[in-house]
Amino acid sequence: MFSTLLLAQRATLPPQFPPGPAITTVTVLIHVALLLLVIGSIAGLFFTIRRPTRIWDLLIWPIIIVSAFAIASWYTGPDETQIFIVGYAFFVLLIAIFGLGIGFIRVFTNSAKVSRAGCTVVALVVLAVFIALLLPATPSVREAARRTDCKNRIRQIAIAMHNWHDAFGRLPDMAISDGTNPTRSWRVELLPFMEGDSTRQKYRDDRRWDDAENLPVAQTNLQDLRCPSVKHAQNQHDEFGRYFTHYLAVTGPNTIFANGKGMNLDDIANGDGTTKTLLLVEASGRNIVWTEPRDADTAVQPIGINLLGNSVYDSPSLLSTYHPAGANIAFADASTFTVPKKIDPKILKALTTTNGNDPAERGF
């Protein structure tokens, strides 16, 4: 009932990106079960102190420990939820060990004098330290590591583009064609520069990107093209199992890829400069298959980060991210930066252009 009410309440909220942790019946039941074990452990600790302890009373604590960790190990879910599951189990372990120790003392030493106040203080201190330090810290550390990994991935794509530039004298076009075959995404053509030669060889140039012949290639899980913080299936692949890319090139008027054509880096340097011109952006809410010749168009996408879309898995904005700190971007010099979500749209718009002297850029 409780989980049904939560799901109903979430359904009435306006779409937001990114979606929060999924609240399921299983998640709620596991939380309730572990919470009851926590309450039972604390109650058992005080009963152990208040009445004589017998040998068979010591068996209760191992049963509690095994039950807590069996439930915790069975559940796998988002870090934001899983950390509390682990926290419950860890706290039950501490209380059970403390209770087991008191039980042994009272049974085998016939001691009836165990400080109730001391037990209370220890239990409360352990609980306070656990909540204050462990729970908030672990998800943030994991997310910081994922954000760094995401930044490295977008940088590797930018470096591959530079290698392409060294080979052909300019950056790749967004939609590449030899005049007879259908257009291909620059991501397909860039595979040999990203240690993806075998995948590139499987792609049929004489077929469209969405042709059945190219379906196995689109279903290839290229992690270098995906943000590690995206764990929802709806933002990883479509109904055909074709994986999305979370990193898009910036196209549109006055961008590096104006009219879909790649520029020479020297021309960019003569404008706003390679350190102030966007090359790639993180766009986890666009849901574009990585083989599709489509990217972030400043003439179509609204300028902003995590703007609302039609669902919690969709964001039409130029940048969209699962990172609380902001979206990752790569400049034309292959340097990377995390853009805060509250960035002035005028600054963000100015960073997309090449032919410059945009006053707004000076505030970045």
Side-chain angles (χ1 to χ4, degrees):
M1 177 65 71
F2 178 63
S3 61
T4 303
L5 292 175
L6 287 176
L7 292 172
Q9 181 181 11
R10 175 168 289 186
T12 61
L13 297 176
Q16 60 179 353
F17 185 91
I23 299 177
T24 64
T25 302
V26 173
T27 301
V28 173
L29 290 178
I30 289 178
H31 272 270
V32 171
L34 286 173
L35 182 59
L36 290 176
L37 281 176
V38 170
I39 296 174
S41 299
I42 296 176
L45 178 62
F46 285 99
F47 277 122
T48 298
I49 298 170
R50 290 179 175 275
R51 66 179 180 81
T53 303
R54 292 161 290 185
I55 289 290
W56 66 268
D57 289 337
L58 301 179
L59 298 177
I60 299 297
W61 299 112
I63 293 174
I64 290 176
I65 293 173
V66 171
S67 300
F69 278 89
I71 296 173
S73 61
W74 181 64
Y75 174 78
T76 56
D79 291 342
E80 296 82 356
T81 302
Q82 193 172 26
I83 188 59
F84 287 98
I85 298 294
V86 175
Y88 284 140
F90 184 71
F91 184 65
V92 168
L93 174 64
L94 293 178
I95 295 298
I97 291 176
F98 196 64
L100 192 60
I102 293 176
F104 270 109
I105 292 174
R106 301 195 67 179
V107 168
F108 295 104
T109 66
N110 294 321
S111 173
K113 295 181 179 180
V114 179
S115 173
R116 300 176 185 176
C119 293
T120 302
V121 170
V122 170
L124 293 178
V125 168
V126 169
L127 178 61
V129 171
F130 181 71
I131 293 177
L133 298 179
L134 182 60
L135 289 182
T138 303
S140 61
V141 169
R142 291 181 179 179
E143 168 52 31
R146 288 193 296 265
R147 187 176 70 251
T148 300
D149 188 10
C150 175
K151 188 179 294 186
N152 289 335
R153 294 183 187 189
I154 196 172
R155 183 173 183 271
Q156 291 304 314
I157 300 173
I159 291 174
M161 279 193 164
H162 274 247
N163 293 335
W164 174 286
H165 182 279
D166 293 340
F168 297 100
R170 62 186 179 90
L171 295 170
D173 296 340
M174 295 295 91
I176 300 171
S177 175
D178 53 14
T180 58
N181 293 319
T183 55
R184 304 180 297 277
S185 170
W186 61 271
R187 288 176 286 271
V188 174
E189 292 298 294
L190 208 64
L191 288 175
F193 296 87
M194 300 175 62
E195 300 181 353
D197 299 78
S198 59
T199 304
R200 176 65 183 93
Q201 293 173 6
K202 296 176 184 177
Y203 189 89
R204 291 283 302 272
D205 292 355
D206 59 339
R207 295 288 189 270
R208 284 175 48 87
W209 71 271
D210 55 354
D211 190 272
E213 293 290 333
N214 283 323
L215 181 61
V217 177
Q219 292 174 334
T220 303
N221 184 7
L222 299 178
Q223 295 190 9
D224 289 342
L225 297 177
R226 300 194 300 111
C227 172
S229 287
V230 179
K231 297 183 178 181
H232 293 269
Q234 292 86 342
N235 287 102
Q236 295 193 48
H237 55 75
D238 63 9
E239 65 272 19
F240 302 107
R242 299 178 300 194
Y243 278 95
F244 298 135
T245 177
H246 299 142
Y247 310 118
L248 303 177
V250 180
T251 68
N254 299 323
T255 66
I256 291 179
F257 302 100
N259 300 319
K261 302 296 182 180
M263 292 182 62
N264 184 282
L265 290 176
D266 291 337
D267 294 333
I268 303 173
N270 294 330
D272 287 343
T274 57
T275 62
K276 289 291 184 71
T277 305
L278 285 179
L279 178 68
L280 301 166
V281 294
E282 181 186 357
S284 299
R286 295 293 297 123
N287 302 327
I288 295 176
V289 176
W290 73 270
T291 55
E292 181 181 358
R294 181 161 63 100
D295 284 271
D297 190 342
T298 59
V300 177
Q301 269 71 64
I303 305 299
I305 301 178
N306 287 2
L307 301 181
L308 301 183
N310 295 323
S311 74
V312 294
Y313 302 106
D314 172 70
S315 176
S317 54
L318 186 67
L319 281 74
S320 50
T321 180
Y322 275 68
H323 305 303
N328 290 321
I329 60 174
F331 290 105
D333 65 344
S335 63
T336 57
F337 189 82
T338 300
V339 179
K341 294 179 181 178
K342 294 183 179 181
I343 186 175
D344 188 338
K346 293 180 180 179
I347 296 177
L348 188 57
K349 174 64 176 178
L351 292 173
T352 66
T353 61
T354 63
N355 58 350
N357 297 321
D358 297 297
E361 282 184 339
R362 300 166 192 165
F364 185 75

